[in-house]
Amino acid sequence: MKVEANALYQQLQSMATQASQRDQPTNVNALQGNTSQADFSNMLKSAMDNVNELQQTSGDLKTRMELGDPNVTLEQTMIASQKSSIAFEATVQVRNKVVDAYKEIMSMPV
């Protein structure tokens, strides 16, 4: 099984494009109130759900591999494990940046 580094980069680019398209309102008259908070929370929840799904898939493949399932290869298991690890590390980094930004904002004089 061949894994290309560009495939992951292209997937990240497409997710960024989708996220930027969500921020663009299609009908300005239909907007009521502040929807950016709801959009951010939906995007954050979606990202967390994606990380959770990757981790569950990785755990499932590891278990099936350990039990000797002939339909699961070592390559699939390792790729799933690396995907979930990278996604989790990226989520932790985003969380750290948000906490740092919050601390910086809270320390600003009013």
Side-chain angles (χ1 to χ4, degrees):
M1 174 180 255
K2 184 178 178 183
V3 177
E4 295 183 25
N6 290 333
L8 181 59
Y9 179 71
Q10 289 173 350
Q11 185 179 11
L12 289 173
Q13 288 288 7
S14 68
M15 289 172 63
T17 303
Q18 290 174 355
S20 67
Q21 289 174 351
R22 287 183 192 168
D23 293 338
Q24 298 173 356
T26 55
N27 185 357
V28 177
N29 294 330
L31 294 178
Q32 296 176 354
N34 186 3
T35 60
S36 62
Q37 185 178 9
D39 290 341
F40 178 75
S41 65
N42 288 338
M43 188 170 52
L44 185 62
K45 183 176 179 349
S46 173
M48 295 300 289
D49 289 343
N50 186 27
V51 170
N52 185 36
E53 182 181 332
L54 287 172
Q55 288 182 333
Q56 287 179 347
T57 302
S58 174
D60 180 49
L61 286 174
K62 286 178 187 178
T63 303
R64 289 172 56 194
M65 180 72 181
E66 290 170 354
L67 294 175
D69 187 349
N71 296 327
V72 178
T73 65
L74 178 62
E75 292 85 8
Q76 289 174 325
T77 306
M78 294 305 296
I79 289 171
S81 176
Q82 288 299 311
K83 281 183 179 181
S84 69
S85 175
I86 290 170
F88 182 74
E89 288 177 26
T91 303
V92 169
Q93 291 297 324
V94 169
R95 184 211 56 182
N96 291 343
K97 291 293 183 181
V98 169
V99 169
D100 289 342
Y102 176 77
K103 286 180 182 178
E104 186 175 331
I105 289 170
M106 293 308 289
S107 68
M108 289 182 179
V110 177

